[in-house]
Amino acid sequence: MADEVILLDFWPSVFGIRARIALREKGVEFEYREENLRDKSPLLLQMNPVHKKIPVLIHNGKPVCESMNVVQYIDEVWSDRNPFLPSGPYQRSQARFWVDFIDTKLLKPADNLWQTKGEEQEIAKKEYIEALKILETELGDKPYFGGDTFGFVDIAMIGYYSWFEASEKLANFSIEPECPILMAAAKRCLQRESVVKSLPDSEKILAFAFKIRKIYCV
Amino acid sequence: MTDEVILLNFWPSMFGMRTMIALQEKGVKYEYREEDLINNKSPLLLEMNPIHKKIPVLIHNGKPVCESIIQIQYIDEIWSNKNPFLPSDPYQRAQALFWADFIDKKLYVCGRKTWSTKGEEQEAATKEILEILKTLQSELGDKPYFGGDEFGFLDIALIGYYSWFPAYQKFGNFSIEPECSKLMAWGKRCMQRESVAKSLPDSEKVGGFILQLKKIYGIE
């Protein structure tokens, strides 16, 4: 029986990107459905009644919500190729730890870069760079967070990599001098086929970023 | 080679309770070390969790695992031969992880507000917490445990908060039972398990701790 896979998503979302990449890494055919977050579809509200957020993966009619949950689910269902998580429990716990770090320590400053101005934005810049530096230390000499192969933590970071340029322009700073190794990893990841196919054009992201900044920073 | 398992914890933490319960459920012998989070975090804690400097920290043969939900999964994967916490089916697992994430996003912050705020903010928090608990109760349904017939991952994730319910109610001046009787029955059922009874503090102690925190933070 062929799988029916639908992804409810919003094109600039750093969370939605994770699901898109995960599906493409596994070579899973899926139907992409763009949500208008100001007018959410009945399907979204039905499939994620608790949070009403994207991404939502609908696999044979059953919803999976929360982006890293979706990535882990995809890894477990299509377990025969390109594993995202390492096999050892300790390495797995470390991968999960770093994803949690990304979503707790990087997310807020990243959002504040476009949501705030003046002193608040300066603080956001400092916190953002600090978090990136910690991640860079964790990456170390490895080509990917997972080691030799692209994996769970790399997938979690892609969305943030795709917003680097927009973040730099919005907040008037440069990431490369502070985190050259992470920048190199970002460039490497941004060339992967699954990523290229899943990412919107950087011009589009930039235009979107400036648009939402106008809404937040009156 | 015998395992060396150390848990750095702070007794009121509903997060630490998770890890204690998980270790007990698997019958793992471990050394419990109480951290003084208010005055003086130990050098070991700062070394083992330099990023967050928080408890619980599970140290297994010298290697640290941080974040309670990650620890439950780790314990489940290492001592996989007994009492599995997570279901084997990927979809059921995804659901369990979703609800654990829901608990951590919604319940902790709201619970805190029931005792650390007053007036309108406090009232809003008590209303919100009841909604959160009712949502969880719906998820429980008629099952004896969130995991179904067996005590599992999500039960472990939530039960620590049960020891804080009396304090939330006392300080927030509201009652959970009328709207969440099934959830309260679940709590009592879990408390009959040895792992839970041994890991949850007495609710009087939790109340005393909150009074102490209120003094320290100057909250009336």
Side-chain angles (χ1 to χ4, degrees):
Chain A
M1 189 190 95
D3 280 311
E4 184 203 53
V5 182
I6 299 170
L7 180 67
L8 306 183
D9 200 356
F10 179 50
W11 68 268
S13 164
V14 307
F15 304 108
I17 283 171
R18 294 165 170 180
R20 281 171 241 163
I21 290 168
L23 287 165
R24 291 193 167 108
E25 283 285 322
K26 298 284 190 178
V28 176
E29 298 280 331
F30 67 100
E31 181 192 335
Y32 179 96
R33 288 198 201 168
E34 189 69 38
E35 281 288 330
N36 175 1
L37 296 187
R38 276 182 282 184
D39 184 16
K40 294 174 182 180
S41 72
L43 186 62
L44 173 56
L45 300 177
Q46 180 201 350
M47 290 287 154
N48 191 359
V50 174
H51 300 303
K52 306 176 177 53
K53 287 183 173 179
I54 58 89
V56 179
L57 182 77
I58 311 172
H59 184 203
N60 297 329
K62 298 197 293 190
V64 181
C65 307
E66 295 303 307
S67 62
M68 290 320 288
N69 233 7
V70 171
V71 173
Q72 185 167 319
Y73 175 80
I74 291 166
D75 201 26
E76 289 176 7
V77 173
W78 290 280
S79 56
D80 55 337
R81 62 202 105 136
N82 284 3
F84 302 151
L85 275 165
S87 50
Y90 187 74
Q91 280 75 26
R92 289 156 77 84
S93 75
Q94 297 311 291
R96 290 178 177 132
F97 174 86
W98 287 106
V99 166
D100 176 77
F101 176 85
I102 290 163
D103 282 345
T104 49
K105 297 287 187 182
L106 190 57
L107 175 60
K108 206 153 194 327
D111 276 350
N112 282 342
L113 287 177
W114 56 268
Q115 284 180 10
T116 64
K117 48 187 179 170
E119 256 226 60
E120 259 194 279
Q121 195 188 48
E122 288 303 308
I123 294 171
K125 255 191 254 182
K126 276 201 184 77
E127 289 176 349
Y128 182 73
I129 292 288
E130 246 175 61
L132 289 181
K133 281 189 167 157
I134 290 172
L135 284 163
E136 188 175 66
T137 304
E138 172 57 22
L139 179 65
D141 287 329
K142 312 192 293 288
Y144 301 104
F145 280 99
D148 289 321
T149 49
F150 182 78
F152 198 65
V153 183
D154 307 287
I155 293 174
M157 274 304 285
I158 300 284
Y160 292 96
Y161 293 155
S162 73
W163 272 74
F164 272 177
E165 201 186 319
S167 303
E168 287 172 316
K169 292 213 161 86
L170 279 171
N172 194 26
F173 72 117
S174 188
I175 297 171
E176 170 105 43
E178 307 265 11
C179 303
I181 297 171
L182 195 66
M183 259 317 216
K187 288 191 180 110
R188 193 180 302 123
C189 288
L190 292 172
Q191 284 163 11
R192 276 180 93 76
E193 193 184 340
S194 64
V195 177
V196 169
K197 285 188 168 164
S198 306
L199 274 190
D201 183 54
S202 57
E203 290 292 315
K204 266 188 96 178
I205 295 179
L206 201 56
F208 176 77
F210 276 100
K211 189 170 95 165
I212 48 173
R213 182 170 173 72
K214 266 204 194 127
I215 298 170
Y216 269 81
C217 282
V218 184
Chain B
M1 187 188 97
T2 36
D3 281 310
E4 184 203 53
V5 182
I6 300 170
L7 179 66
L8 306 183
N9 195 24
F10 181 50
W11 68 266
S13 165
M14 57 282 272
F15 305 107
M17 289 173 212
R18 293 167 167 175
T19 316
M20 288 173 73
I21 292 168
L23 288 167
Q24 280 260 308
E25 284 284 324
K26 297 285 190 180
V28 177
K29 290 204 161 22
Y30 69 99
E31 182 191 334
Y32 179 98
R33 290 197 200 169
E34 190 70 39
E35 284 286 331
D36 176 5
L37 295 186
I38 296 173
N39 299 310
N40 200 12
K41 292 177 181 179
S42 74
L44 186 62
L45 172 57
L46 301 177
E47 180 198 338
M48 291 286 153
N49 191 358
I51 305 281
H52 301 300
K53 306 176 178 51
K54 286 182 176 181
I55 58 88
V57 180
L58 181 72
I59 310 172
H60 185 203
N61 296 329
K63 299 198 291 192
V65 180
C66 306
E67 296 304 309
S68 60
I69 292 295
I70 295 174
Q71 288 161 358
I72 306 174
Q73 291 175 82
Y74 175 79
I75 291 165
D76 202 25
E77 288 173 13
I78 292 274
W79 291 281
S80 55
N81 56 326
K82 61 184 285 201
N83 285 2
F85 300 149
L86 277 164
S88 49
D89 170 66
Y91 184 74
Q92 304 303 331
R93 287 155 80 80
Q95 298 314 295
L97 290 168
F98 172 86
W99 286 107
D101 175 76
F102 173 83
I103 290 164
D104 281 347
K105 280 196 169 104
K106 301 277 188 180
L107 191 51
Y108 180 73
V109 172
C110 198
R112 195 184 163 85
K113 285 189 182 160
T114 61
W115 57 264
S116 67
T117 63
K118 35 185 195 170
E120 266 191 49
E121 214 189 330
Q122 190 183 41
E123 245 197 83
T126 60
K127 279 201 178 71
E128 196 189 339
I129 205 172
L130 283 172
E131 288 309 310
I132 293 166
L133 294 177
K134 282 195 304 200
T135 301
L136 287 165
Q137 183 169 258
S138 288
E139 176 55 24
L140 177 66
D142 287 326
K143 310 192 297 286
Y145 300 106
F146 282 94
D149 288 324
E150 303 291 328
F151 181 79
F153 182 77
L154 203 43
D155 305 285
I156 297 173
L158 184 58
I159 194 60
Y161 285 91
Y162 183 77
S163 67
W164 280 69
F165 283 177
Y168 290 160
Q169 291 172 103
K170 178 173 155 200
F171 288 96
N173 194 28
F174 70 110
S175 187
I176 297 174
E177 174 83 41
E179 299 199 56
C180 300
S181 57
K182 270 191 177 161
L183 193 68
M184 293 304 265
W186 161 84
K188 288 190 185 94
R189 188 177 303 123
C190 290
M191 284 297 289
Q192 286 164 11
R193 288 182 87 79
E194 194 185 343
S195 64
V196 176
K198 281 190 168 169
S199 308
L200 263 56
D202 182 59
S203 53
E204 289 288 316
K205 266 188 93 175
V206 175
F209 172 69
I210 290 178
L211 284 170
Q212 193 190 12
L213 279 183
K214 279 158 85 84
K215 247 197 214 153
I216 295 171
Y217 295 113
I219 307 164
E220 273 155 55

